Amino acid sequence: CSESDLGPISLNWFEELSAEALP
Amino acid sequence: DVAEQLTPVLLDGLREETLQLESKLEDSSSSCAVDVSTMWWEAAGCRELCVVTACESSVSLWKPLASDCWGKVYTWQLGEIPVIQIVPLPDTCNLVCIALGDLEIGEIRLLLYSSENDSFKQSLVKTGNIKAVLGLKDRRLVSSSRTVQEQQVEIVSFSETRRSKDGQTLMPPEETVLAFAEVEGMRDALLGTTAVNSIVVWNLKTGQLLKKMHVGYSYPASICHRAYSDSGLLFVVLSHPHAKESESCGNPAFRVIAFNPKTARSTGVMFSSLPPGHAGRYLEGDVKDASAAAVLTSGAVAVWDLLLGRCTALLPPPPAGSWALARWATTGACLLAGQRDGTVCLYRY
């Protein structure tokens, strides 16, 4: 799969989603 | 003749991975086997990987004896509520959970061995209208349960002898969670699949619901078996008990899908279907590392390499019966194939 199919990829997705999510 | 009929069929193009019958465990007292699993048992300073078998009214622990034989160590007798499944607790010793209920899980119990006073015990962990349960690392268990108004997703932890008093709750999604999988290599991440075919991801430390991602409409009722994160993508192994056969993918038992958790977009990585000419739909199965095994409606057990998307072995139905259970042992490359009469065959893979 290519990045364009899946959108921008982040190696730190877990930390970033945790910072964005409701507490 | 019996040994011959328990021999795996080698499929065309097979490489060296095959199944070899190592031993057979026969339980003459078993009324109707419902599940099989393995657990570590340590007594008198000796630690062994044992087999746990469950029938509706009892759960038995079996230890390996000399010359490929197995001996029953202990049987926990349960009450009137039937046992539905064994819930192993990974990386633990002398502890295993079981789920009991009629059509759905109504109760979870802890079965344990105390080496301190050389005794076997059982205790109640949780009651309710429980939809899904999974044993987690570090002596923890996660479950989803429903009341009329709301869903509760709870983690309980265990000491060596009992359930700890305080549980932790995770933020529930709107949809009912039907299966869980730990995200390998990410200590604080947990994944679930829901009744409307979504993947949900939690932060176990904070209880936050991080993301909800739709699997797609092609394959309804996806059940997650395994998840791992690699290069910023979340790879999920799903089974599709209600999938229909399609021309492009054949009869898919398992799928590996890569999700980008930042965008919720996904793409299929690999299908694991039955080879052409072999009939039977997926009934139930188990995944460990890159190996998947499933009982098919034909009564056979099929084994796949998930990375290759290829069926590597097929156990034909046993004489005068069919396989009912297929489970991987918690350690070692060992497949446990069970029949309803309580017979369990151990195959080296």
Side-chain angles (χ1 to χ4, degrees):
Chain A
C1 57
S2 67
E3 188 166 315
S4 59
D5 295 331
L6 297 168
I9 288 165
S10 168
L11 294 179
N12 300 317
W13 63 267
F14 186 75
E15 292 75 17
E16 290 170 13
L17 290 179
S18 296
E20 293 163 12
L22 292 171
Chain B
D1 286 351
V2 170
E4 199 168 281
Q5 288 181 64
L6 289 171
T7 302
V9 174
L10 307 184
L11 300 168
D12 293 342
L14 260 190
R15 295 172 303 120
E16 63 275 16
E17 294 97 341
T18 55
L19 294 169
Q20 290 177 327
L21 181 62
E22 284 219 322
S23 58
K24 198 171 170 183
L25 184 155
E26 283 175 286
D27 190 359
S28 54
S29 65
S30 179
S31 52
C32 184
V34 294
D35 205 355
V36 62
S37 187
T38 53
M39 73 178 269
W40 288 101
W41 182 56
E42 187 170 354
C46 182
R47 190 180 161 108
E48 291 174 297
L49 187 66
C50 293
V51 171
V52 184
T53 57
C55 66
E56 285 197 338
S57 59
S58 64
V59 175
S60 297
L61 177 71
W62 301 73
K63 67 176 270 182
L65 304 173
S67 60
D68 295 335
C69 289
W70 293 81
K72 204 184 275 187
V73 177
Y74 185 77
T75 298
W76 287 272
Q77 296 295 337
L78 285 312
E80 288 181 5
I81 308 172
V83 179
I84 294 179
Q85 71 177 94
I86 297 169
V87 187
L89 298 168
D91 304 333
T92 60
C93 195
N94 297 341
L95 292 177
V96 67
C97 284
I98 52 165
L100 306 100
D102 290 305
L103 287 175
E104 291 191 324
I105 301 169
E107 188 176 299
I108 297 168
R109 299 187 82 84
L110 175 69
L111 308 181
L112 64 100
Y113 169 75
S114 169
S115 54
E116 216 166 79
N117 46 15
D118 189 31
S119 62
F120 291 87
K121 296 172 185 168
Q122 58 172 295
S123 63
L124 184 65
V125 173
K126 190 180 171 76
T127 57
N129 187 6
I130 298 162
K131 302 291 183 182
V133 58
L134 179 74
L136 307 176
K137 289 194 181 84
D138 302 326
R139 286 205 292 250
R140 295 171 302 167
L141 180 137
V142 63
S143 62
S144 62
S145 54
R146 270 244 171 248
T147 62
V148 176
Q149 289 91 11
E150 59 175 15
Q151 176 174 219
Q152 186 195 44
V153 182
E154 186 188 30
I155 293 183
V156 296
S157 50
F158 302 101
S159 70
E160 283 175 8
T161 54
R162 62 172 66 88
R163 183 204 149 145
S164 302
K165 274 184 186 165
D166 299 325
Q168 182 203 353
T169 54
L170 306 180
M171 189 183 287
E174 286 168 18
E175 310 96 48
T176 304
V177 178
L178 298 181
F180 295 98
E182 285 193 278
V183 181
E184 292 163 26
M186 298 185 84
R187 204 190 123 73
D188 296 326
L190 179 72
L191 184 139
T193 38
T194 76
V196 295
N197 227 26
S198 289
I199 300 273
V200 285
V201 182
W202 289 275
N203 182 327
L204 279 174
K205 209 170 181 178
T206 62
Q208 291 166 300
L209 179 62
L210 300 183
K211 200 78 180 176
K212 194 166 83 177
M213 302 177 279
H214 200 250
V215 175
Y217 296 103
S218 310
Y219 296 94
S222 303
I223 297 293
C224 57
H225 290 263
R226 190 188 162 211
Y228 58 95
S229 181
D230 190 4
S231 308
L233 295 175
L234 184 60
F235 291 84
V236 185
V237 179
L238 300 168
S239 66
H240 307 281
H242 305 295
K244 285 179 185 161
E245 196 161 351
S246 75
E247 274 184 24
S248 56
C249 307
N251 210 343
F254 294 96
R255 268 201 312 168
V256 183
I257 301 182
F259 288 88
N260 180 353
K262 291 288 285 182
T263 62
R265 291 189 209 164
S266 64
T267 186
V269 176
M270 195 62 80
F271 286 93
S272 290
S273 301
L274 272 174
H278 290 273
R281 272 185 44 237
Y282 172 98
L283 275 180
E284 66 116 62
D286 193 23
V287 174
K288 183 171 173 273
D289 301 327
S291 301
V295 176
L296 308 172
T297 46
S298 61
V301 168
V303 177
W304 289 268
D305 182 320
L306 292 173
L307 297 178
L308 299 171
R310 203 163 74 177
C311 184
T312 53
L314 197 69
L315 283 177
S322 59
W323 296 111
L325 303 160
R327 301 277 181 274
W328 296 105
T330 51
T331 57
C334 178
L335 178 75
L336 298 102
Q339 298 169 42
R340 281 280 169 245
D341 67 0
T343 304
V344 175
C345 291
L346 284 84
Y347 289 90
R348 182 146 298 280
Y349 180 53

